[in-house]
Structures are given as C-alpha cells and as structure tokens.
Amino acid sequence: YHQAVIATGIVTNVAIIISVLSAFPWVRNNRHNLFERHHRFIGWLGLLFTWCFVMLGNGYDDERGVWDWKGSHVTQTQDLYFVTAMTIFIVLPWVFTRKVKVDVEIPSSKVAILRFERGMQQGLLGRISRTSILEYHAFGIISEGRHAKYHYMVCGVQGDFTRGLVENPPTHIWTREVKFAGVSNTSEIYRRGIRIATGTGIGAALSTCLQSKDWFLIWIGSDQEKTFGKTISGLIESGIEPERRILWDTKKLKRPNTMKLLKETYDSWGAEVVFITSNYGGNKEMMEGCKTLGIPVFGTLWDF
C-alpha cells in the first residue's frame, strides 16, 4: 500500500478509538460535554479520513505502483457504498435540525416544562439544545396524540443545561424534527400494561397512558402538582381516568412499598408487562423485584 493510504488508515483508527473511549458510560454520565465534543467532532474527523482512506485505497494500483482514478475499481466497490451509506445516516438527523419557538413554564425551581407546537405519537424522545451543534439532551415527549395542538417535555434540574432552562428560559431552542423511539413506543404490541415512573420520569411515561386506555399509570413523586405544575396535572386529570392511575405523593404518604404496589396493580389490572422510568436506584430495585416475581418488565437505559 502507498504511505498515504496507510497514514489515513491509522488516523481513522485513532479517531474511532478516541470516539469509542469517550462513549464509555462513566464518561457519558460524569463528563457529558466532554463525551459529546469528542464523540461528535472526533467522529466526524474519523468519517472524513475514512473517505480519504477509501478513495486513496481504491485509486492506488498496488501491482503497478501508480495512481489510477479511472475504471470501476474506484467507484464500484463495496467499501465506497458502505462509507456513502454511513455518511447519509450521520448527516440525515442534522438536515432536520431546526430552531423552533418554545414556551417555558417553571412551576418550581426543580423543573421546567417546555411546550412545542404540534402533537406527537406516544413513545418518542426528542433532543434539544441552546446551540445548533453542541450539548444536545434527550427528553421524553408528552402529547395527547398526533391531533393535539402541542407536545411537552419535562426537564428536571440536574446539570448546567437544565438549570439554565429554569434560570434563563429560552424563547427559541434547537431541536431535531426527526424524533427517535423509546421503549414506550412498543406498548402497542401488548394488550394491557403498567407504566410506572418516578419524578421527572413522567415525561417519558405519560404519553402512553394518555393515548391508550389499556395502560395504567403509577407516578411516584413529591407534591407532584406543586412541583410539576398545572399543565402536567391537567393532562393527567383530563386524559387518564381515576381508575387508571395512582399518583403517589411521597410528601404526604411517605415512600411506598413499590413492589407491593406494583404487584397488586399488575394483578388487578390484568397487565402483561411493566415499563419503568426511574432513577438508577429505583430502576434497579423494580427490575430485580419484577424478575423475582416473574413479571415481564422493561427498564431505563443509562447510556444514550
């Protein structure tokens, strides 16, 4: 191989290694901005050098030791098709990135409720950012359906980005109009189910119960109406019948025996499956408890 081909191959591999290392869960959880910058920009650099490696490799004739840019060996190769498809999949989400109007409700210092135009199907998540390129964060989407006028995101204060939404609410924000599906999107393949959420997990859970009469909502949180405001409470009151919901206020009722509550509801509702959205500890407790009781369950991912 020509030295240029070898050099671009080495740079490509180094970029991929850095991108992979930056995506390790402990980096993503503790140094999100560091992960995002390295994973994105080093990843783009790796894609650029992959193109260089493929084109240089296809254009160099090893046997004759010369460059030959004519013929099917340059344009009709499997590696060229592969890198073209890879580029399309990487570029596509950015083609649909838009700066959109947003209304922000701040019911408490712990939460910001973002309201966007148009309704959505259940089970989707969206990414938002203050800038067009950096610091995209994923949140569950709440909507009453495609026919609805608005959809919402519940953003709990956990870091600089979400704290900024409360302290300095934006009037416009960057988002990707192509949303991606979360585990709730699979709810339609089950006849009846339970959606259990704690705190801000209601953002990923609520749409499923709003859009299907066959799903039961359990929401555990502290003084939910005061903390999360009238918008979220109003959606629950108008969209989910009292016999299809349990709103457990830990400020009044203390912490529940979660597995006892879940097991009793699972039996009485005749559910087939449980979907969980909670913090790490709550997710682990309920996942292990459901496994012990033989209840089919899907929990939260911690590395997306």
Side-chain angles (χ1 to χ4, degrees):
Y1 289 103
H2 192 277
Q3 289 183 348
V5 179
I6 297 173
T8 54
I10 292 172
V11 174
T12 300
N13 279 281
V14 170
I16 292 172
I17 291 170
I18 294 174
S19 185
V20 169
L21 290 175
S22 71
F24 271 44
W26 62 268
V27 178
R28 298 182 70 154
N29 294 334
N30 299 312
R31 297 287 186 272
H32 180 83
N33 291 344
L34 178 69
F35 144 72
E36 189 175 34
R37 290 188 177 98
H38 283 76
H39 193 70
R40 179 164 300 152
F41 295 119
I42 299 298
W44 288 351
L45 181 67
L47 179 63
L48 175 63
F49 274 94
T50 300
W51 270 103
C52 295
F53 175 75
V54 169
M55 296 307 297
L56 291 174
N58 290 349
Y60 187 70
D61 189 326
D62 296 331
E63 295 181 358
R64 295 185 295 157
V66 296
W67 298 100
D68 181 6
W69 300 103
K70 298 178 182 179
S72 61
H73 65 278
V74 177
T75 59
Q76 297 181 14
T77 59
Q78 183 177 340
D79 48 2
L80 180 62
Y81 299 151
F82 177 76
V83 74
T84 300
M86 186 167 59
T87 303
I88 291 172
F89 284 120
I90 291 173
V91 170
L92 195 60
W94 295 98
V95 173
F96 294 96
T97 300
R98 300 285 187 274
K99 191 174 186 179
V100 299
K101 183 179 181 296
V102 61
D103 295 307
V104 182
E105 175 189 350
I106 305 173
S108 69
S109 60
K110 299 179 181 179
V111 177
I113 310 297
L114 276 58
R115 188 184 74 181
F116 301 86
E117 299 288 338
R118 74 189 177 98
M120 296 275 182
Q121 71 181 74
Q122 65 86 26
L124 300 181
L125 297 103
R127 295 187 185 275
I128 58 173
S129 175
R130 292 269 192 169
T131 69
S132 59
I133 296 179
L134 291 174
E135 291 190 37
Y136 275 86
H137 297 261
F139 298 94
I141 293 174
I142 298 175
S143 178
E144 296 166 288
R146 292 186 178 94
H147 64 279
K149 188 175 181 181
Y150 303 111
H151 68 273
Y152 307 85
M153 290 183 179
V154 176
C155 305
V157 174
Q158 294 181 335
D160 293 339
F161 177 79
T162 46
R163 187 178 298 108
L165 295 176
V166 172
E167 296 176 352
N168 182 26
T171 58
H172 292 76
I173 205 160
W174 287 91
T175 186
R176 297 176 186 174
E177 292 190 329
V178 176
K179 311 304 181 185
F180 62 101
V183 67
S184 292
N185 197 250
T186 66
S187 63
E188 295 181 6
I189 69 176
Y190 300 99
R191 289 192 296 270
R192 290 168 80 82
I194 296 172
R195 199 65 175 86
I196 184 168
T198 61
T200 55
I202 190 66
L206 185 52
S207 278
T208 301
C209 299
L210 289 175
Q211 296 185 34
S212 174
K213 300 292 184 182
D214 298 319
W215 280 77
F216 192 102
L217 174 67
I218 301 176
W219 184 22
I220 302 169
S222 176
D223 201 354
Q224 290 106 319
E225 184 171 354
K226 182 179 179 181
T227 303
F228 293 87
K230 294 183 178 179
T231 296
I232 302 302
S233 297
L235 287 169
I236 294 173
E237 290 291 333
S238 63
I240 304 176
E241 304 83 357
E243 61 271 18
R244 207 160 53 84
R245 70 183 191 231
I246 295 175
L247 307 181
W248 190 284
D249 185 352
T250 56
K251 189 172 184 179
K252 295 179 180 178
L253 304 174
K254 305 303 180 183
R255 190 176 185 274
N257 184 331
T258 310
M259 286 314 305
K260 181 176 183 292
L261 177 66
L262 192 53
K263 174 61 174 173
E264 290 175 352
T265 307
Y266 180 82
D267 292 336
S268 63
W269 184 246
E272 291 183 322
V273 69
V274 174
F275 287 173
I276 301 168
T277 304
S278 182
N279 56 33
Y280 184 83
N283 180 79
K284 183 178 180 181
E285 175 191 345
M286 286 184 274
M287 288 287 289
E288 292 179 352
C290 286
K291 182 180 179 181
T292 301
L293 295 172
I295 298 175
V297 61
F298 293 91
T300 307
L301 288 174
W302 292 96
D303 62 345
F304 71 96

